[in-house]
Amino acid sequence: MAGEAKPISPLKNLLAGGFGGMCLVFVGHPLDTVKVRLQTQPPSLPGQPPMYSGTFDCFRKTLVREGITGLYRGMAAPIIGVTPMFAVCFFGFGLGKKLQQKCPEDVLSYPQIFAAGMLSGVFTTGIMTPGERIKCLLQIQASSGETKYHGALDCAKKLYQESGIRGIYKGTVLTLMRDVPASGMYFMTYEWLKNILTPEGKSVSELSVPRILVAGGIAGIFNWAVAIPPDVLKSRFQTAPPGKYPNGFRDVLRELIQNEGVTSLYKGFNAVMIRAFPANAACFLGFEVAMKFLNWATPSL
């Protein structure tokens, strides 16, 4: 069973969640760029090698051709989106827990925590989808050799001019398919590991920094183990030319399976898993540290 949750302060969750999200983006974005480029690279022609042979090859080529800034391509969109997204994420998780409690003292089971986490995935999709759409387009344009967008705001403006709000929110269903179950796994694993790693007789709130890092990092790995297949479909769909997939994710899935096999649904697996531990460890550590600071500095907030 999971430990009892403290009352939620929306403003503290906004600030702490935003700080944790910025920590995640800064640590994890280089390998996120590698992941997207691996997921969206075109199939190689017969007798020719693929554009990238794997995670480390993509990382090396990006670094050599574009420098360190190439690995941080498209970071503005997720940075701008992380503060409200993580605020909504943690608020949604707290609301999901509260809705399942008959009284504040109720201790939730892990399936109930999973359900609360899934609700947070629904809440964040409205913010996540446009950010992911812009990020993916900016990440792949450098490797394609074509410069259509000059930054996140220019990309958003051109998408709106071309296709309206639907163009910006292309991939919403696939983002839901990715984030709803993955968020459930994310929060359930983190709460479970925090309880396991808390020494007997101690409170979860007293967990040491290394143990928070371990719990957050492993939660990130479990999150992405669930999220990778729909994330591959989402990356393909969001970066495809208009009209290429008239039936949505079903067309993307059919094309991937026919042309590249089932293993194509796990493209970028190594990059995701290498990124997942440090990025999510940084996220939860940032959140916990910021929350402790806010509880100390503004206990009545």
Side-chain angles (χ1 to χ4, degrees):
M1 304 287 282
E4 183 181 342
K6 291 182 179 180
I8 297 166
S9 165
L11 184 54
K12 285 181 181 177
N13 274 268
L14 169 69
L15 298 171
F19 182 71
M22 285 188 280
C23 292
L24 180 145
V25 173
F26 185 77
V27 172
H29 195 79
L31 280 164
D32 186 75
T33 298
V34 171
K35 177 206 74 173
V36 170
R37 290 187 177 183
L38 287 171
Q39 289 176 344
T40 57
Q41 68 174 326
S44 56
L45 297 172
Q48 292 187 359
M51 185 184 298
Y52 307 114
S53 60
T55 300
F56 294 105
D57 181 56
C58 182
F59 186 92
R60 181 182 60 80
K61 286 178 178 175
T62 301
L63 193 60
V64 169
R65 293 171 184 168
E66 303 168 49
I68 192 71
T69 56
L71 293 168
Y72 281 93
R73 193 84 60 191
M75 192 174 76
I79 280 287
I80 291 167
V82 289
T83 300
M85 189 205 61
F86 272 79
V88 169
C89 179
F90 280 94
F91 173 79
F93 177 56
L95 178 63
K97 290 193 292 183
K98 192 172 182 179
L99 288 172
Q100 297 178 86
Q101 288 179 317
K102 293 180 180 177
C103 62
E105 294 76 27
D106 284 351
V107 177
L108 298 181
S109 66
Y110 290 118
Q112 287 176 312
I113 291 174
F114 184 89
M118 288 199 298
L119 182 63
S120 77
V122 175
F123 274 48
T124 58
T125 297
I127 301 168
M128 181 68 85
T129 303
E132 287 279 302
R133 170 92 154 119
I134 293 164
K135 172 183 71 71
C136 288
L137 288 170
L138 291 173
Q139 284 172 327
I140 68 159
Q141 78 167 359
S143 59
S144 68
E146 179 189 353
T147 305
K148 182 179 179 181
Y149 307 111
H150 302 281
L153 290 177
D154 182 57
C155 182
K157 187 171 95 173
K158 287 179 178 173
L159 285 173
Y160 184 77
Q161 288 171 346
E162 291 168 3
S163 311
I165 197 71
R166 290 186 66 180
I168 294 173
Y169 275 87
K170 182 179 179 180
T172 299
V173 172
L174 281 164
T175 305
L176 276 170
M177 289 172 62
R178 182 192 70 175
D179 288 352
V180 170
S183 296
M185 182 63 74
Y186 191 45
F187 282 107
M188 184 185 73
T189 305
Y190 182 63
E191 295 290 334
W192 171 62
L193 287 169
K194 279 206 305 182
N195 288 331
I196 284 179
L197 294 171
T198 300
E200 193 172 347
K202 295 278 187 179
S203 167
V204 171
S205 63
E206 299 173 318
L207 208 60
S208 66
V209 168
R211 294 186 182 205
I212 290 171
L213 288 171
V214 168
I218 294 175
I221 289 172
F222 275 73
N223 169 83
W224 278 104
V226 173
I228 288 177
D231 186 63
V232 172
L233 298 176
K234 181 197 69 65
S235 294
R236 282 289 180 102
F237 184 68
Q238 288 188 317
T239 57
K244 183 175 181 182
Y245 301 115
N247 296 313
F249 75 90
R250 288 172 295 176
D251 285 349
V252 188
L253 180 62
R254 189 181 303 112
E255 180 187 84
L256 273 173
I257 299 296
Q258 287 177 351
N259 296 341
E260 302 174 51
V262 177
T263 55
S264 63
L265 291 172
Y266 287 88
K267 273 191 170 184
F269 180 86
N270 290 340
V272 166
M273 289 306 170
I274 292 168
R275 168 187 177 268
F277 190 96
N280 290 283
C283 173
F284 274 114
L285 179 62
F287 176 82
E288 298 284 0
V289 168
M291 189 61 78
K292 283 184 179 180
F293 172 78
L294 291 169
N295 287 335
W296 170 78
T298 54
S300 60
L301 187 64

